[in-house]
Amino acid sequence: MADQHRQAAVVEFDHVTKRYDAPTGRDKGKPTPGAVNDLSMKVPAGKICILVGPSGCGKTTTMKMINRIIEPTSGTIRLQGEDVTGSPPDELRRRIGYVIQQVGLFPHLTIADNVATVPRLLRWDGSRTRARVDEMLDLVGMDPSIYRGRYPKELSGGQRQRVGVARALAADPPVMLMDEPFGAVDPIAREKLQNEFLRLQEDIGKTIVFVTHDIDEAIKMGDRIAVLRTGGKLAQYASPAELLMYPADEFVEDFVGADRALKRLALQRVRDIDLWTAATVRSGEPVAEARRKIAEADIDIPLVVDDHGRPQGWLSERGLAGERVRPELRSRAEPLVELDDVLRDALADLIESEVHYSPVVDPDGCLAGVLSLEVISQSLHVPPERARTSTELVEPAGDDAVSAEIEPA
Amino acid sequence: MSAALLPLVQLDIRSRRGGTCESEDGFCPDWIVDNLDRYVSPLLEHVVLTMVSVGIGFAIAFAVALLAHRREWVSAPVGALTSVLFTIPSVAAFLLLVPLTGLGPLTAIVALVGYTQVFLFRNMVNGLSNVGEETKDAARGMGLTERQLLWRVELPLAVPEILAGLRIATVTTVNLATLAFFAGAGGLGAQIYTDITFRSNVVVAGGLAILLAALFDLLILGGQRLATPWRRAAAA
Ligand SMILES: Nc1ncnc2c1ncn2[C@@H]1O[C@H](COP(=O)(O)OP(=O)(O)OP(=O)(O)O)[C@@H](O)[C@H]1O
Ligand SMILES: [Mg+2]
C-alpha cells in the first residue's frame, strides 16, 4: 500500500464514564455501578492500543463509545482533537474501521460486496470500488480472483476474519476498532492471523483500539496496553515491557501472571542485551596471539571463525598445543542465535541443544557476541528501585510525554 | 340470511340419458375433453381471487411486520390476532361477512386476506428477528443507517422465511378459495358444486385447484432460489 494511504488519528478519552440503567426488577431505571469509570487516556496516532482485563470489566463498552454504538454517560471522546458527538453517528462510523469477534460478514453478499460496503455507503464510483476491493483482498492475503465471488459460508473461520479486516480497511479509516478479532479461531490460526496483522499494520500504520482478554495477545500485539479492572477503572496504561517490568499494583501483577518475567523474554531481542565476548581465532594464527585474546574475553573457550568472521566451532585444547592454531573443534558452533531473535526463541534454542551458551551472529553471519543462560537471566533482573512505581506510568490525556508521541512516525 | 341467496343450485352440465358414462356419474374422458372450456372462467376467477388476496395480505402483513420490528410490543398481540382469525371456520367467515360486504369477490377477498396473515406476518417477524446480532452490530458499526440496515441487510436475509410464509399462504388460499362461492365469488369451488355428484366434474375442477396450488408453489420456490443464491453456496 502506498504511503499516502498512511493516515491515523489520535484517540483521546477525557474523563469518560458509562453507566447502564438497571433494566428490570426493583432497581428499574436506577443507574448501575458503572461499566466504565472516569477513564482518561490517549492513544497515539498509528499505534495499537490494547484494552485488556477480566470479563465484564468494560472493554467492549469502552471501545463502542468511540464509534458511538454506545453513548457515554459523561465525558468526551475525541478523534484527532474532534469531539465524536460533533458528527452524526453514521458518518462517524464510516470513518472508523470495525471488526468484531463473530466477524459479522453479510451472509447474503459475496466477499467482494462485503468488502465494498463502506465504499458504497460513501458513494465511490464502481471502478474505484472494484479496484479497492481487489487491493484489500490482496492485502489480507486472499486471492481476489478466487474469493471475490464467493459467499461467507464458503470460507473458513480464519478466512472470514481476514475478509472482516479487509472490509474494515476498505475506506481507509484512520482508526480501527477490533473487539477480540481473533478470539473465535483456533490457536494455530490465531497465531498466524496475529502475525499477519502485525505485518499489515507496519504498512498501514492505523490507530488501532484492540480488545482482548488474553494478556499474551495484548503483550504480543500492543504498542500500549490499557489494563482495566472490574467496574471499568483504568489500572495501568503502559507499554508491554513497562507493564511486565513495573506492574502498577497487585491487580495488574496478578493479571499479567506469575510468569511475567518469562513473558518479557518474548519482548526483548538478543540485540537489546549485553552479550558476552569470545575470542575469535583463525586456523594458522599464532597460539600466543590466540591466548592473549582468550585472556581478554568473557569466556575462555575461543571460537574458530572463517575468513569472513563466520563462526565455525569451539576450539578444543589440542588446537592450541602447537605453535600455530590447528582447527581441532570440540563442538560445532550450534545453535546459531541471530541478533533479531527474541530472547524466548534464543533460550529455547539453548535448552533444546543442551548448551549453556552459543554464538550470536549479525545479519551477515559474522560473530556479534555470545549469548548464555546467565546473560538471559541477568536481562530479566528488574532494578528494585524502579519496581512498583505506579503514578508515573499511568498517562492521563494531555500528558506531555504522550503528546510527544502523537505525530505519526 | 336465507340459503336462497347462495348459489348452491345444482345445474345440469351433462346429459342424463341412461346408459352413458355421464349418466352414471362416472369418470368420462370424452366428456372432459368436450367440456374443458367450462373450466376456463372458474379457473381464472380462482387465480384472481388467490393473487389479489395474497397480494393484499402480503402488503398488510409487511407493513405491520415492519412496525412490529421497530416496536416490539406490537408483535405478540398481532401474532395472537392472526392465530385467532385463522381458527374461524372459513365457511362461517364467508357467510358472516356477506351482510357487511355483500355477495361477491370482495367478501371472499376480505376473508382470504385474513387467513393469509397468520403465515405471512409470523414468518416476516421471525425472518427479521432471526438476523444475527453480530451481523447487525457489524452493519451499524460500518455506518449503515437503520433504514439501510433494514433494506440492505435484514430484509434480504429474511427473504427465505418471508417466501416460505408466502408459499404456505398461497397454497392455503388456493385451497380456501374453493369455498369462496359461499360468498358468491365463483372460482373452482363453484364449479365443483354445480354438479358435485358427477365424478368427471369433481375430478377436473378439484384437479385444477391442486395443479394451481402446485404451480404457485413452484413459482415462488423458483423465485426464492433466484433471489437467494447465497443459500445454495456450499459450506466450507
Ligand atoms: N447493554 C447493557 N445493558 C446493561 N449492562 C450492560 C450492557 N452491556 C454491558 N453491560 C454491563 O457492563 C459491564 C461491562 O460490559 P462490557 O461488555 O463492556 O465488558 P467486557 O469487558 O467487554 O467483557 P467481556 O470480556 O466479557 O466481553 C458488564 O458488567 C456488563 O454486564
Ligand atoms: Mg466484550
Side-chain angles (χ1 to χ4, degrees):
Chain A
M1 186 183 282
D3 244 19
Q4 68 262 24
H5 282 311
R6 290 184 74 106
Q7 45 158 320
V10 183
V11 178
E12 214 178 319
F13 289 82
D14 192 355
H15 298 287
V16 174
T17 293
K18 173 67 190 181
R19 290 193 178 83
Y20 291 105
D21 291 334
T24 48
R26 201 160 41 82
D27 296 333
K28 189 169 176 169
K30 272 195 214 156
T32 49
V36 174
N37 240 306
D38 195 30
L39 177 71
S40 290
M41 66 178 201
K42 195 168 196 168
V43 183
K47 301 285 181 199
I48 302 182
C49 169
I50 312 279
L51 302 176
V52 70
S55 184
C57 70
K59 306 180 290 291
T60 299
T61 304
T62 302
M63 195 196 82
K64 285 186 171 175
M65 286 191 291
I66 299 173
N67 65 355
R68 296 184 65 190
I69 288 186
I70 296 172
E71 299 282 3
T73 310
S74 65
T76 313
I77 297 171
R78 281 183 288 268
L79 227 71
Q80 200 61 33
E82 189 192 315
D83 188 338
V84 292
T85 56
S87 32
D90 313 316
E91 276 171 36
L92 175 76
R93 290 173 196 162
R94 291 170 198 172
R95 290 186 274 129
I96 299 178
Y98 190 59
V99 182
I100 55 175
Q101 177 174 348
Q102 312 83 345
V103 196
L105 292 183
F106 302 135
H108 62 301
L109 297 182
T110 60
I111 299 309
D113 287 336
N114 264 286
V115 176
T117 304
V118 182
R120 288 202 178 124
L121 290 173
L122 296 172
R123 300 181 192 288
W124 289 16
D125 66 54
S127 58
R128 183 177 172 207
T129 303
R130 271 193 300 280
R132 186 67 180 173
V133 165
D134 286 359
E135 186 189 346
M136 288 300 104
L137 288 177
D138 268 330
L139 192 68
V140 297
M142 308 223 1
D143 184 346
S145 61
I146 297 175
Y147 293 106
R148 218 188 271 126
R150 295 219 181 155
Y151 288 99
K153 78 173 178 189
E154 296 172 287
L155 304 187
S156 71
Q159 289 173 326
R160 277 179 222 175
Q161 198 50 266
R162 282 192 204 122
V163 174
V165 171
R167 182 172 71 168
L169 283 170
D172 203 25
V175 176
M176 291 260 283
L177 309 181
M178 308 179 81
D179 194 348
E180 309 211 18
F182 311 133
V185 290
D186 65 85
I188 294 168
R190 183 181 317 144
E191 170 110 30
K192 195 153 167 259
L193 286 169
Q194 288 169 339
N195 294 340
E196 277 174 16
F197 187 74
L198 285 174
R199 238 173 290 137
L200 181 63
Q201 166 68 356
E202 280 184 16
D203 287 339
I204 59 180
K206 303 288 179 195
T207 307
I208 292 162
V209 177
F210 186 114
V211 167
T212 179
H213 57 252
D214 175 359
I215 185 69
D216 293 310
E217 184 170 59
I219 290 165
K220 175 171 184 183
M221 306 293 289
D223 292 311
R224 309 197 53 86
I225 299 175
V227 184
L228 297 178
R229 75 171 91 230
T230 309
K233 298 194 190 82
L234 185 61
Q236 184 165 9
Y237 184 44
S239 72
E242 276 175 63
L243 196 72
L244 291 175
M245 232 144 10
Y246 317 114
D249 56 23
E250 231 164 287
F251 170 78
V252 178
E253 201 170 319
D254 277 355
F255 192 76
V256 296
D259 59 341
R260 66 193 170 92
L262 291 179
K263 285 179 177 138
R264 288 212 310 277
L265 289 175
L267 287 174
Q268 276 178 300
R269 294 189 185 275
V270 175
R271 67 161 72 251
D272 299 332
I273 63 174
D274 287 332
L275 299 173
W276 279 355
T277 57
T280 55
V281 299
R282 290 184 167 79
S283 169
E285 114 175 40
V287 166
E289 170 75 5
R291 290 208 186 276
R292 193 187 52 73
K293 284 195 276 187
I294 292 166
E296 283 172 9
D298 286 331
I299 50 175
D300 44 17
I301 303 174
L303 256 178
V304 179
V305 297
D306 67 7
D307 292 342
H308 303 282
R310 291 188 289 241
Q312 303 296 300
W314 301 100
L315 191 67
S316 78
E317 202 48 46
R318 276 175 290 135
L320 294 170
E323 287 274 295
R324 308 241 156 210
V325 173
R326 279 184 297 124
E328 296 230 16
L329 301 183
R330 66 171 73 201
S331 60
R332 299 181 49 79
E334 273 169 356
L336 265 190
V337 174
E338 287 172 28
L339 277 176
D340 278 328
D341 287 346
V342 294
L343 285 184
R344 186 190 55 194
D345 297 346
L347 177 62
D349 284 347
L350 291 185
I351 293 170
E352 214 161 281
S353 309
E354 299 181 7
V355 295
H356 286 277
Y357 48 83
S358 76
V360 177
V361 293
D362 63 18
D364 296 328
C366 300
L367 185 74
V370 170
L371 181 73
S372 69
L373 294 179
E374 232 172 306
V375 167
I376 292 174
S377 87
Q378 264 162 21
S379 78
L380 294 175
H381 180 69
V382 180
E385 72 277 9
R386 282 223 55 193
R388 280 281 175 89
T389 53
S390 53
T391 45
E392 69 179 285
L393 295 170
V394 183
E395 288 156 5
D399 187 292
D400 283 344
V402 184
S403 310
E405 274 187 68
I406 292 170
E407 292 308 313
Chain B
M1 172 181 36
S2 88
L5 275 175
L6 297 170
L8 290 178
V9 197
Q10 299 271 305
L11 295 175
D12 257 353
I13 58 172
R14 51 177 162 153
S15 104
R16 292 201 183 261
R17 257 186 298 130
T20 60
C21 171
E22 295 116 89
S23 67
E24 274 153 26
D25 289 346
F27 179 74
C28 320
D30 292 343
W31 181 90
I32 292 170
V33 172
D34 289 343
N35 290 273
L36 262 186
D37 52 343
R38 285 178 192 278
Y39 296 91
V40 172
S41 102
L43 177 65
L44 287 180
E45 280 167 11
H46 211 98
V47 169
V48 170
L49 268 182
T50 304
M51 288 178 59
V52 170
S53 306
V54 172
I56 295 173
F58 191 89
I60 294 173
F62 190 70
V64 183
L66 289 194
L67 180 71
H69 186 51
R70 281 287 142 77
R71 312 229 180 288
E72 215 181 317
W73 57 267
V74 173
S75 186
V78 173
L81 180 67
T82 62
S83 302
V84 170
L85 279 184
F86 195 69
T87 59
I88 302 172
S90 51
V91 175
F94 289 128
L95 293 177
L96 287 171
L97 279 171
V98 168
L100 297 174
T101 45
L103 268 181
L106 178 63
T107 302
I109 288 168
V110 169
L112 290 174
V113 164
Y115 289 120
T116 60
Q117 295 303 300
V118 71
F119 307 111
L120 294 174
F121 178 78
R122 284 276 166 95
N123 279 45
M124 284 175 186
V125 167
N126 286 347
L128 287 173
S129 63
N130 282 349
V131 176
E133 269 319 309
E134 74 284 355
T135 311
K136 291 189 270 186
D137 186 12
R140 291 198 181 96
M142 280 186 293
L144 273 80
T145 60
E146 286 304 305
R147 172 181 292 238
Q148 286 166 334
L149 176 66
L150 177 68
W151 289 95
R152 299 186 190 189
V153 179
E154 293 178 307
L155 281 171
L157 285 175
V159 159
E161 273 186 82
I162 293 175
L163 291 190
L166 185 63
R167 283 173 66 193
I168 311 178
T170 308
V171 170
T172 307
T173 304
V174 170
N175 185 3
L176 289 173
T178 55
L179 299 173
F181 68 91
F182 278 103
L188 289 167
Q191 185 60 31
I192 292 173
Y193 275 84
T194 52
D195 196 346
I196 199 164
T197 52
F198 182 23
R199 192 178 297 156
S200 302
N201 178 48
V202 174
V203 164
V204 175
L208 282 174
I210 293 168
L211 280 179
L212 186 61
L215 183 71
F216 274 128
D217 201 41
L218 280 177
L219 278 177
I220 300 168
L221 187 64
Q224 177 184 332
R225 298 203 118 219
L226 283 180
T228 58
W230 50 279
R231 290 193 88 210
R232 271 172 293 142

